[in-house]
Amino acid sequence: MSKKKKDTNTCAFKWCLHGGCGGELHSHDGKKYHDDCFRASQDYDIIRDLWSKHFKKEKDTYAKLAMTYKRLLLEKGHDSDFILFCVRYGITNKILHYPPGLFYLDEDSKIKAAYAKKQCNERAREIRKLQEELKRKKMINEESVEFEYKPKNKNFLDIFG
């Protein structure tokens, strides 16, 4: 029996956003991923950890969670960061109780507005950070200016003119 050789130019994420191949693959943890697929994989791991920490486990909880995540990611086209935000929002506000509940949260206008605000704040922080770094580099590159003070020889009689 011959073993099938696995194609090394395919993405290792089981729900690849690019159909498995195509695009630029980068090596992470010994496997090759697209950058956004790797981020989606990491976000799913965080979601599973949050779920196990905040909810009781039933026998098919993780299967439902995986199915929900896959549908939101691939069929509805949501960014993995938005799905993670929905989970955190649902946990914080105590409005998420079961995995398919994410389908309701992704439609909520309040959550969409909160996510947009979060993204704007993150971009503003990044811009401020870049501006501070540019200022620091500019200050380092500028030459230091030296001043020399030469006092005039004056005596007490100069006060009277």
Side-chain angles (χ1 to χ4, degrees):
M1 256 171 100
S2 64
K3 290 184 179 180
K4 284 188 177 181
K5 194 172 186 181
K6 189 173 181 180
D7 189 8
T8 58
N9 291 327
T10 60
C11 183
F13 186 47
K14 60 184 167 184
W15 306 307
C16 180
L17 303 171
H18 306 276
C21 59
E24 192 173 331
L25 297 172
H26 299 282
S27 184
H28 298 282
D29 300 329
K31 298 177 182 177
K32 292 190 177 194
Y33 294 93
H34 298 99
D35 287 334
D36 53 350
C37 290
F38 181 71
R39 195 177 72 244
S41 173
Q42 296 295 328
D43 288 345
Y44 179 66
D45 291 342
I46 293 169
I47 290 169
R48 279 184 61 105
D49 292 343
L50 285 170
W51 205 272
S52 66
K53 185 177 179 182
H54 293 281
F55 299 104
K56 66 179 182 179
K57 297 171 199 105
E58 295 175 14
K59 63 180 177 181
D60 62 346
T61 300
Y62 292 116
K64 286 180 183 176
L65 186 63
M67 182 216 45
T68 304
Y69 185 76
K70 177 185 172 185
R71 286 188 57 202
L72 288 171
L73 196 65
L74 297 177
E75 292 175 19
K76 290 202 171 192
H78 290 301
D79 188 43
S80 63
D81 187 50
F82 176 68
I83 300 169
L84 177 60
F85 181 81
C86 287
V87 170
R88 286 182 173 151
Y89 188 94
I91 290 171
T92 303
N93 294 300
K94 297 181 180 176
I95 56 175
L96 182 63
H97 303 290
Y98 59 100
L102 283 170
F103 290 120
Y104 298 105
L105 296 182
D106 80 311
E107 304 277 328
D108 192 337
S109 59
K110 275 195 224 177
I111 295 174
K112 287 180 181 178
Y115 181 70
K117 185 177 178 181
K118 174 191 167 245
Q119 284 187 312
C120 287
N121 289 339
E122 285 177 357
R123 281 191 218 118
R125 263 187 245 114
E126 288 175 11
I127 289 171
R128 268 189 250 119
K129 193 176 182 181
L130 288 172
Q131 287 174 338
E132 289 174 7
E133 191 174 318
L134 286 172
K135 282 182 190 177
R136 230 177 288 130
K137 285 181 180 179
K138 190 174 181 181
M139 290 174 64
I140 289 171
N141 292 337
E142 288 183 1
E143 294 179 19
S144 61
V145 180
E146 295 182 21
F147 294 97
E148 189 175 315
Y149 174 70
K150 295 181 183 177
K152 295 180 181 178
N153 291 333
K154 292 188 175 188
N155 59 25
F156 183 71
L157 296 176
D158 288 340
I159 294 174
F160 299 111

